[in-house]
Amino acid sequence: MDTTVIIISVVMMIGVLLLAGAPLKPLRFIGSGAIKVVIGVLFLFFFNVFGASLGIHIPINVFTAFVSGFLGLPGLASLAAIQMFVV
């Protein structure tokens, strides 16, 4: 397939989406969820940096990032309590 045909088809699809409107609700939901998970990873990173002096380490994975991102600081505190009492 010629590259000009691909470029023209992509431009036409973008034009159709601009005129018809894209479904923004699902994209906004996915975007806000991704931002919360990234914030959770940052919470966990800084907690691990400062918690190293206390001997507390919470592994950074999808589950812990999800919990600390969506629940915020109470979620991070619950993960720290689970780490201290269970492990």
Side-chain angles (χ1 to χ4, degrees), residues 53-87:
S53 62
L54 300 173
I56 301 172
H57 174 76
I58 301 173
I60 300 175
N61 55 32
V62 175
F63 178 73
T64 58
F66 185 80
V67 168
S68 65
F70 278 92
L71 297 179
L73 293 177
L76 187 64
S78 66
L79 288 172
I82 291 170
Q83 179 69 24
M84 289 174 56
F85 293 120
V86 173
V87 176

Side-chain angles (χ1 to χ4, degrees), residues 12-86:
M12 292 295 287
M13 282 188 233
I14 290 172
V16 168
L17 282 176
L18 286 175
L19 292 175
L24 294 178
K25 272 276 203 217
L27 294 177
R28 189 174 299 152
F29 180 71
I30 292 170
S32 68
I35 289 172
K36 286 184 180 186
V37 169
V38 168
I39 290 172
V41 168
L42 290 173
F43 277 163
L44 288 170
F45 174 75
F46 286 117
F47 181 81
N48 285 336
V49 168
F50 295 118
S53 62
L54 300 173
I56 301 172
H57 174 76
I58 301 173
I60 300 175
N61 55 32
V62 175
F63 178 73
T64 58
F66 185 80
V67 168
S68 65
F70 278 92
L71 297 179
L73 293 177
L76 187 64
S78 66
L79 288 172
I82 291 170
Q83 179 69 24
M84 289 174 56
F85 293 120
V86 173

